[in-house]
Amino acid sequence: MLDSGVTPLTEEDDSYEPVFAAPWDGRVKVHNARFRFAPFGGSFQGQQRFAWDEVAGSLEQGDGIVVALTVEFGPASVPLGEEGEKLVGELGTELRFKVFDSVDVESPVSASRRNLPSDSTLGKRNVDLIKGWIEGCGANHGHACQEHARWTPTRLLALHPLRLVERVSNVAEDDLRYAALSYTRGDAWPDTAVQTSPENLDDRKGGIDLADLPRTFRDAVSVCQSLGIRYLWIDTLCILDDAEDWKREVLTMHKNFGHAEITIAATSSTTPQSSFLARNISALAAAKIGDEKRHAIFSPQEDETSGMRTSDVDGSLWKRDAWAMVERMLSARIIQFARNKIYFECRRALRSEENDAETVTSKPSSNFWPRVEDRGANGEQYSPFLYEQWRTFLVEYTSKQLSRQTADKLLPVQTVAESMAAAINDEYLEFAGMWREDLAAQLLWYANNDPDDTTLSTMPRAKRAPTWSWAQCKANIGFVRGTTDGALPSSLDKQKFRVADVVESRSLSLYGYNRGVSEIRSVDAAGDAWLAEMRKEYPWDLIVANGDDGEGICVAHGALDDPDTTISARTELLYLHVTDEVHPTGLILARIPGLGPAWRRLGVATIFELGDLIMESPFQADSYTHIVVE
């Protein structure tokens, strides 16, 4: 394989000028051709690129398939100078193709047979595939995917005839199977004309005209009818346009999705008004090359991942929707309707309409919320793991987009907390989106204020969250970044940071070592690339007064939740130490005027630099005091 550095030809690039100025003989040379293979088996996750000799043996055994081809080509020769030297390097452009090899398409082994895409999303072949995926998951994965207890949502959309029903009962379990819809909301959603309200509830119990529903909802009805599923749950139709009903129903959403036979994900829909079943397969360019014995079908790709899960699902607007993320996490299994392709995902397997050699795994998928059904000894055993999962969840959640119509940023988080509460003995602080027993770790969130980060969230601040909660931050957040190599002097080791109380007024009563800060000073790294990189995460110095020369010395490096925060010279500042074990190590606090001993959070800081204390004695033994943070 040549490392040719091939790039598309363009007349706007001066380096190509000799090529366009020189005569061309019309000959083209292929610089590089790479097949992309997807070997079957648990050792490979998804598609990967391999050299032929690495997988030839595996493929000859029928253990893998050819999925793509990349061809780099360009002029066979380049212009030469007067002394015969090349005026430019090797030039060319790159084409990518999805590949369907007849050996794979006609494989006698169904598990390794590559399927050509179907013209119809809900044609017989695809419907049979989906039914087989659901049945296989139920038969082989047990409670790892499907909840074992029976559950019925408060309201369901019955499909025969189409109407809203409440508290379905006295129905055989097989007949009570229902699907749940996950879709991209968009800023203009929900549409009040579509929502079920206390005023139109009785009318909708009498019947609903399918034509009155958004196209995404109508498509979901079609999916259920094709699969023989009689009921469908859609939030806008099954939850009333009423604050109390919304809050009550959100508490059970983890059950609504966890007990659904299948979650229908409208992955290709950009709004509720768009279809996720429409296809244009017949309009796609394709070429069949070969002979009667063996041939391959090549279809151009826009990029290396188009037509693959990484693009169709992970690159979709649905993947960026905060509500959709929560719904995906809580589901038992999902059918994702992407553009011209169907994908299946459960807690133990990945499948696709084209059979891209995606494999079954014994490990739970990270896209789903872990299930721990025993709240007893096993629940306590899993608590550290679940706390870590919660922090990981918050990092991803705050990078998503939340509809402007969602009044409470903490509302989607609430249903994940309900699922977690069934597995641990802890108090969930609903107003803060945090768990009491894990506050020492969850307090050390930091705001991602990197202007180069394209994942910055548009999610608003929670209206009434305390300053110490991640929910009051507009930027997406992160947690622990590495561990420290240092420790406080042994003379300070007797006292540990602890949470004394969380009061109803949202105040946090804490005990810990602290140090008064006289100034927060921005680091001047102009012209010093090394310093700028070293201090990228903590670009502020926390300065304490020095009685000898009046200049002050640095006690910690900090990061502000809002870098545009204006700090008055009269503001009383404090560093509160939380832990030696991780970065960041503590909180930056500011006194709240007029509230006595109350403080508010400004950011996080670390008292260690490259493993050593920034200031040799950052605290005195008597500095372990009581602090109240609002």
Side-chain angles (χ1 to χ4, degrees):
M1 186 179 293
L2 299 176
D3 184 13
S4 57
V6 175
T7 56
L9 294 173
T10 170
E11 296 185 12
E12 297 178 358
D13 193 327
D14 294 340
S15 64
Y16 294 160
E17 185 175 346
V19 178
F20 295 110
W24 179 45
D25 57 13
R27 293 186 302 152
V28 173
K29 172 186 176 183
V30 174
H31 305 299
N32 197 355
R34 303 188 307 274
F35 280 100
R36 198 176 188 193
F37 301 99
F40 287 100
S43 60
F44 299 102
Q45 297 296 317
Q47 294 92 9
Q48 301 185 37
R49 188 182 294 141
F50 296 92
W52 173 257
D53 57 357
E54 294 177 344
V55 294
S58 176
L59 296 176
E60 288 174 359
Q61 299 294 324
D63 294 332
I65 59 175
V66 180
V67 295
L69 169 67
T70 301
V71 176
E72 298 171 356
F73 70 95
S77 57
V78 296
L80 303 178
E82 295 180 358
E83 298 181 2
E85 76 280 7
K86 291 184 178 181
L87 298 180
V88 294
E90 196 171 75
L91 300 173
T93 192
E94 185 174 85
L95 294 178
R96 301 178 180 89
F97 301 90
K98 183 184 289 188
V99 179
F100 297 88
D101 192 312
S102 60
V103 173
D104 300 326
V105 173
E106 299 168 3
S107 172
V109 181
S110 60
S112 59
R113 186 183 304 132
R114 189 84 190 278
N115 298 320
L116 290 168
S118 173
D119 286 335
S120 173
T121 304
L122 293 179
K124 184 179 184 305
R125 192 197 73 183
N126 281 352
V127 170
D128 288 344
L129 270 177
I130 295 172
K131 288 181 177 178
W133 291 334
I134 296 173
E135 291 171 2
C137 173
N140 300 319
H141 303 159
H143 299 327
C145 289
Q146 187 70 53
E147 294 277 11
H148 68 281
R150 181 168 172 168
W151 168 261
T152 306
T154 304
R155 304 178 190 92
L156 283 170
L157 190 67
L159 307 184
H160 306 289
L162 191 64
R163 68 197 189 282
L164 205 61
V165 294
E166 286 191 294
R167 296 176 178 84
V168 179
S169 61
N170 300 321
V171 177
E173 190 165 346
D174 288 345
D175 293 336
L176 193 54
R177 293 182 308 141
Y178 69 92
L181 177 65
S182 177
Y183 60 100
T184 305
R185 274 74 175 174
D187 286 343
W189 195 255
D191 184 344
T192 54
V194 177
Q195 280 190 299
T196 298
S197 66
E199 291 74 27
N200 65 19
L201 177 59
D202 288 339
D203 289 340
R204 291 192 168 181
K205 288 180 181 180
I208 298 175
D209 189 341
L210 184 63
D212 291 339
L213 300 181
R215 184 60 185 272
T216 296
F217 293 7
R218 284 159 28 208
D219 282 359
V221 170
S222 297
V223 173
C224 289
Q225 291 172 336
S226 296
L227 297 177
I229 297 175
R230 300 176 56 188
Y231 298 96
L232 175 62
W233 189 89
I234 304 176
D235 58 354
T236 308
L237 299 179
C238 298
I239 302 178
L240 301 184
D241 184 15
D242 173 81
E244 289 302 317
D245 196 67
W246 258 102
K247 185 171 183 179
R248 182 170 55 251
E249 290 298 305
V250 163
L251 298 183
T252 64
M253 276 183 63
H254 63 291
K255 294 183 178 180
N256 293 350
F257 282 91
H259 288 78
E261 179 80 356
I262 193 71
T263 293
I264 300 169
T267 314
S268 61
S269 293
T270 55
T271 72
Q273 306 295 343
S274 57
S275 171
F276 62 82
L277 295 180
R279 288 199 167 185
N280 64 341
I281 296 289
S282 60
L284 299 180
K288 182 177 180 180
I289 301 175
D291 53 33
E292 295 181 356
K293 294 183 178 180
R294 182 170 181 175
H295 64 268
I297 297 175
F298 296 86
S299 179
Q301 290 180 285
E302 296 178 2
D303 53 53
E304 193 174 38
T305 62
S306 64
M308 305 292 184
R309 185 182 295 270
T310 49
S311 174
D312 292 350
V313 176
D314 296 338
S316 66
L317 286 176
W318 174 80
K319 179 67 161 39
R320 302 178 213 167
D321 187 281
W323 275 111
M325 174 200 168
V326 169
E327 293 158 357
R328 181 186 195 180
M329 289 179 64
L330 300 173
S331 296
R333 55 184 77 91
I334 306 175
I335 297 292
Q336 294 152 334
F337 289 87
R339 182 184 177 191
N340 295 325
K341 192 169 179 179
I342 299 173
Y343 297 90
F344 173 83
E345 179 181 23
C346 70
R347 294 165 184 264
R348 288 292 188 270
L350 298 173
R351 303 295 187 199
S352 76
E353 174 185 343
E354 296 175 5
N355 196 14
D356 297 317
E358 297 174 307
T359 59
V360 177
T361 175
S362 60
K363 297 180 179 180
S365 168
S366 60
N367 293 324
F368 294 88
W369 184 254
R371 284 187 173 152
V372 180
E373 298 182 0
D374 185 357
R375 185 170 174 163
N378 288 338
E380 294 180 5
Q381 174 186 345
Y382 283 110
S383 292
F385 166 71
L386 289 176
Y387 290 139
E388 183 178 352
Q389 290 294 306
W390 179 261
R391 296 191 295 270
T392 300
F393 157 62
L394 292 181
V395 171
E396 184 175 359
Y397 173 77
T398 56
S399 72
K400 303 301 180 184
Q401 296 175 351
L402 192 63
S403 167
R404 294 193 185 114
Q405 304 301 320
T406 300
D408 190 351
K409 176 180 180 177
L410 288 165
L411 195 60
V413 176
Q414 179 73 26
T415 191
V416 181
E418 287 296 316
S419 179
M420 183 169 165
I424 62 171
N425 294 306
D426 195 4
E427 178 187 0
Y428 176 66
L429 306 178
E430 181 181 340
F431 60 85
M434 302 163 84
W435 294 90
R436 181 169 184 142
E437 294 300 320
D438 194 46
L439 276 177
Q442 293 181 30
L443 284 172
L444 295 178
W445 58 268
Y446 64 90
N448 183 3
N449 292 309
D450 185 353
D452 297 327
D453 192 330
T454 58
T455 66
L456 288 180
S457 174
T458 59
M459 196 174 288
R461 293 180 173 89
K463 292 182 178 179
R464 294 180 298 276
T467 67
W468 45 270
S469 167
W470 59 269
Q472 63 83 28
C473 181
K474 186 174 177 59
N476 54 322
I477 67 164
F479 283 94
V480 177
R481 292 167 287 182
T483 59
T484 65
D485 296 322
L488 290 180
S490 58
S491 59
L492 303 177
D493 198 37
K494 296 179 181 179
Q495 304 286 359
K496 298 293 184 182
F497 171 86
R498 65 184 179 91
V499 178
D501 194 15
V502 184
V503 298
E504 293 182 0
S505 63
R506 292 169 168 74
S507 296
L508 198 60
S509 179
L510 309 172
Y511 282 89
Y513 288 110
N514 53 82
R515 182 70 181 257
V517 175
S518 60
E519 179 186 359
I520 299 179
R521 184 184 301 165
S522 176
V523 175
D524 184 7
D528 191 333
W530 181 86
L531 180 61
E533 182 62 28
M534 286 290 294
R535 298 297 303 278
K536 185 176 182 179
E537 293 183 337
Y538 298 99
W540 300 84
D541 283 339
L542 276 60
I543 306 300
V544 298
N546 184 345
D548 296 334
D549 55 20
E551 288 295 320
I553 56 176
C554 179
V555 68
H557 298 323
L560 299 180
D561 298 338
D562 184 351
D564 296 326
T565 298
T566 301
I567 303 173
S568 167
R570 296 187 300 273
T571 301
E572 187 178 352
L573 302 169
L574 190 76
Y575 168 81
L576 174 64
H577 189 63
V578 176
T579 180
D580 296 352
E581 298 175 356
V582 298
H583 283 302
T585 59
L587 303 176
I588 306 172
L589 305 175
R591 178 83 74 178
I592 301 176
L595 285 184
W599 301 78
R600 64 185 175 95
R601 171 183 158 132
L602 293 182
V604 291
T606 177
I607 59 172
F608 296 104
E609 183 176 53
L610 300 179
D612 296 322
L613 286 168
I614 296 173
M615 185 177 181
E616 185 174 346
S617 300
F619 311 112
Q620 300 297 320
D622 60 358
S623 68
Y624 185 87
T625 57
H626 176 234
I627 300 292
V628 176
V629 185
E630 297 288 343

